[in-house]
Amino acid sequence: KQEVTQIPAALSVPEGENLVLNCSFTDSAIYNLQWFRQDPGKGLTSLLLIQSSQREQTSGRLNASLDKSSGRSTLYIAASQPGDSATYLCAVLRNSGNTPLVFGKGTRLSVIA
Amino acid sequence: EPEVTQTPSHQVTQMGQEVILRCVPISNHLYFYWYRQILGQKVEFLVSFYNNEISEKSEIFDDQFSVERPDGSNFTLKIRSTKLEDSAMYFCASSELVAVELFFGSGTQLSVL
């Protein structure tokens, strides 16, 4: 059974700092991995999708990497801003067709001005 | 930009009552999903739906739950007799194809009293 773990559970950084959020998964047979942002009491906003054949994806100040063999992904946020404060979730899709996303519990990020 | 729309944003009901949560997926998407998130816990898969039938469902999705696509635009989740433990944020999602990026709605916060 696929398990997704995100460390740390919470992170507080000063504005402007670069930071890395970690995601690990137990079964490396994944089809893709998706990073989401969740604001308190709100929905999930898709940030980046990495296919299993890719090593990384970039969108603006965000860069996500994937090491499938070791079961790890990282989300790098450059030059953090207070508006980046949110919970960041990673989710993996198993390598067997129309199967559900398995989510981690998320990392709650606070960027202090 | 197209988005998944969910109504209502909040629903309060009494234990034992029936509730229907509504979703309008992105118009050219073919796959539809319901997930839920109990406060402080991971986002969990409930059900996936394609071509007017359930593709996959989790253990949570028991006989009290049902889904329907009553017309060309709406996708609904019905809980027949709500329990206290059904209190959660319910998210609808859709995707254009299988195993690609999922787009989530902003959720319906269900409170069962």
Side-chain angles (χ1 to χ4, degrees):
Chain A
K1 183 185 170 189
Q2 179 73 272
E3 295 284 344
V4 179
T5 303
Q6 292 186 249
I7 293 173
L11 181 64
S12 184
V13 300
E15 182 177 5
E17 198 162 288
N18 303 325
L19 59 102
V20 174
L21 308 180
N22 297 293
C23 171
S24 62
F25 44 94
T26 53
D27 185 350
S28 63
I30 66 166
Y31 195 85
N32 62 40
L33 182 146
Q34 201 167 349
W35 281 93
F36 294 89
R37 170 186 171 134
Q38 184 177 29
D39 292 284
K42 303 291 186 185
L44 307 177
T45 302
S46 178
L47 298 173
L48 288 163
L49 173 79
I50 310 181
Q51 301 290 351
S52 62
S53 58
Q54 296 177 313
R55 298 283 294 182
E56 64 179 79
Q57 278 281 11
T58 297
S59 175
R61 293 183 295 110
L62 305 180
N63 176 279
S65 69
L66 174 64
D67 184 343
K68 208 173 77 157
S69 60
S70 67
R72 293 197 294 196
S73 175
T74 61
L75 180 67
Y76 175 83
I77 303 177
S80 57
Q81 302 169 359
D84 295 331
S85 299
T87 296
Y88 291 81
L89 304 175
C90 103
V92 298
L93 189 69
R94 288 201 321 264
N95 192 16
S96 54
N98 187 18
T99 56
L101 285 174
V102 178
F103 281 82
K105 205 169 179 184
T107 294
R108 191 173 67 252
L109 173 66
S110 298
V111 181
I112 312 300
Chain B
E1 185 175 326
E3 60 180 18
V4 177
T5 305
Q6 290 187 243
T7 55
S9 57
H10 293 84
Q11 174 89 51
V12 181
T13 190
Q14 296 290 326
M15 192 169 55
Q17 295 296 304
E18 174 184 287
V19 294
I20 297 176
L21 310 183
R22 301 180 192 281
C23 169
V24 179
I26 294 173
S27 62
N28 64 330
H29 285 189
L30 301 176
Y31 294 83
F32 314 118
Y33 314 84
W34 284 100
Y35 286 77
R36 79 173 186 188
Q37 186 179 34
I38 294 171
L39 186 64
Q41 298 189 22
K42 294 183 179 184
V43 176
E44 305 173 286
F45 168 74
L46 293 178
V47 66
S48 58
F49 191 86
Y50 168 71
N51 199 26
N52 281 317
E53 59 183 33
I54 290 174
S55 307
E56 190 167 348
K57 60 183 180 180
S58 71
E59 294 170 352
I60 303 168
F61 195 88
D62 61 21
D63 292 345
Q64 293 300 312
F65 292 87
S66 62
V67 289
E68 192 178 33
R69 187 152 163 84
D71 53 44
S73 59
N74 290 285
F75 179 51
T76 62
L77 174 69
K78 182 194 290 187
I79 309 175
R80 265 181 263 286
S81 178
T82 50
K83 307 185 191 73
L84 295 175
E85 55 265 37
D86 294 328
S87 295
M89 179 76 95
Y90 287 80
F91 294 110
C92 173
S94 68
S95 63
E96 191 174 357
L97 299 169
V98 67
V100 298
E101 191 173 8
L102 264 67
F103 294 88
F104 282 75
S106 55
T108 293
Q109 180 65 56
L110 176 65
S111 299
V112 182
L113 306 178

